Structures are given as C-alpha cells and as structure tokens.
Amino acid sequence: MPMPLIDIIAGARPNFMKIAPIIRALEARQASGGSLRYRLVHTGQHYDSRMSGDFFEQLGIPEPAVNLEVGSGSQAEQTAAIMTRYERLLLEAPCRLCLVVGDVTSTMACAIAAQKLCIPVAHVEAGIRSGDWSMPEEINRMVTDAITNWFFTTSEVANANLRRAGVEESRIFFVGNTMIDSLLANLPRLRRPPFWDELGLRAGEYFVLTLHRPANVDRGDGFARLLAAIGAGTRGLPVVFPVHPRTAKTLHELGEAPANVRLVDPQPYLEFNYLVRSAKAVITDSGGITEETTVLGVPCLTLRDSTERPETVTIGTNELIGTDPAKLGPALDRLFASEWKQGAIPEKWDGQTGLRIVAALEQLLHF
C-alpha cells in the first residue's frame, strides 16, 4: 500500500503561519519513523515576495513541491484558475487527503477541486463564523466547511458553530490554533525592522495599524476620515502602517496621511510581530492579528462590526470598535487612561496544535 500523501495547500500570507507548525510536526514524525508524507502546494494567490516568499524563509517552510502560479485577478478569476490547475495536478498525481487552512480563496477552490475527484478534505481553522456575508472570507469558510470531511478547530465557539450546522462530533477535532504555534516558536527570533531608529520608535510608545478590508479602504472619503481619527486619537505617537497592496491604491489617490501615520512596506513575519509585541496597541481590521495580540497581551482595537474570532474579545485583549471613525477616539481615550482589559489566553493556544493535528491525521488515515 502506498504511503499516504497529504496535500498541504498554501496560497496567501495568512496561510503560511498556519501550515508551518503542521509541516514541522509531520517532519518530526517522519524522522521518528512515521509513514505520513506530504506535498506542499503553493497556489500563487499571493505572488509578491513581500506577501509570501519571505514567509517561507523566515518560518522554515520548505520550497513548495508545486507552485500553481495563478497570479492576480478578480475573486472569480482566481478561484477558477486555482481549481483548474489544482484539478490538473490531482489528475496527474493524486493525493490521499487535501489539507486546507484558513479562509482565503485557495482554501475554498482546492477543497472543491479535491472533493469533485472524491479526495477527502480536512480544514484547519474550521467552524469560525463572523455572520457577515459581505466578507469574501465568510463565503470561503461556509463553502469549505460545507464540503469538509474532518474539521480541525481553534475554539469551543467554532465547535458549537459546526454542531449547529449538523456536523457529527466524530468529525470535529478541537486542536487549538496553529497561528499561535508559529508565534510562540518564533518569539526568540523576532527582530527589529530596519526603520526602527529612523522612525524614532520606542517600546510601548507607538501604534501598529493594518487596514485592508474593502469597507474601510476602498472608498477614499471614508478611508480619509478613518485615518484622520486615527491620527488624532493616537495623540501624536507614531502609527506604523505597513501598507497592504490593496490599500496602497486608495492611499495614492488620497495624496497624504496624517503626519504621525508612518507608511512602510508590508513586513516579513519576524519584523511585523516584533512591532506588534512592542506596540502600545494595535489598530486593525484583520482577524488573525487579533489572535496574536491576545497571546502577546497587547491591546487591540478592531475596526469591524463583527468578528469570526469572538474569543479574542470575550477572553483576550481585543475589542470591536466598529467602522464609524467617531467611535475610535473614546476607545483610545480609555487606552491612554490605562483602562484597557488585561485579557487571558484561550484554551489550547499553547504551541502544541501542529502535533495534535498530525496525531489526528495518523488516526484518520490509519497509520
């Protein structure tokens, strides 16, 4: 009988932090005599080295066995290209299991292609829901989970979401959070970005800002009001803003940002998390960053009306501020008055998730 071959799918920046601990655990088991083998498939959904290539090097991920090189395009164009190219790969060289992570376009597209060829799918970070269908990621999550065989979850909230959808308990594996595995493994390696001294940054005396969601950045007038509120509410402290490619276009049209908002290129993993760990607070519309700030104990202000990671709010350091710029000032006032909550770390966010996933895969594939 051939050794089970697991396809591990990575397509966009958030995926890389999630697959690294799984690959590390698979290789450790292989070194100790385990029989599971994997093939790393990079879809090429993010093709800028700042958005993907740096992550392979910094996180110790091997070069992909296959790069589908789909490149840019609309959501529908990328989905179609990923499905077509991944289907071709599976027809030429099938796998036993398709392992997808997170909620990007590659996650959904590869899950569909695999299932249509009767290849089972396992979804890491399954069951999370924001309830906001205007978010492309929410559609990706729902479609992927609708055709997933085995669900690896980050929280009891996700477990409950899946149970309500009718998923049998035997198919749900509460394993924890691979993003946190990567964070904890790399804490000793975090390093200052090269602009640290140039911007005059000091630990605890600056903010980190990330914005990329269409509701926040695609309309120039709304984006300008949001930036003005951030500039005013942060009381002159530097606001380090790594600019997502999507956001750069709107920023260019605006012409300028508030004086204390300092624009920098997208940062590699080790430099970005150094910035987060040492920040006074993070202002973001991302989901994954709220998990990292929760574990690092850094206050986080999320410019969204909903979150698919409610444990970062109920347990962690995150707070939903909403998209109305007027709500940002009062929240920042509480932060400066030292009235922000302390937060705690959710269950199983302990750095052992990759090991739990590999143990479950060995059980599921009878090895």
Side-chain angles (χ1 to χ4, degrees), residues 21 24 177-185 350-355:
R24 191 162 57 244
N177 193 331
T178 58
M179 281 270 287
I180 302 310
D181 282 25
S182 284
L183 179 65
L184 295 177
D350 57 4
Q352 304 300 309
T353 298
L355 297 174

Side-chain angles (χ1 to χ4, degrees), residues 11 22 27 75 85 127 164 170 211 239 242 256 259 262 265 296 327 348 353 357-358:
I22 301 170
E27 292 186 341
Q75 300 233 10
R85 297 184 188 192
R164 279 195 298 273
S170 62
L211 294 172
V239 179
E256 62 180 26
R262 312 303 297 270
D265 286 335
L296 293 171
K327 295 182 179 178
K348 294 189 180 179
T353 298
I357 289 172
V358 170

Side-chain angles (χ1 to χ4, degrees), residues 2 9 13-14 28 37 53 157 192 197 207 313 327 330 359:
I9 307 298
R13 177 172 175 148
R37 299 294 182 266
V157 174
R192 286 183 176 182
D197 291 330
F207 290 79
V313 176
K327 295 182 179 178

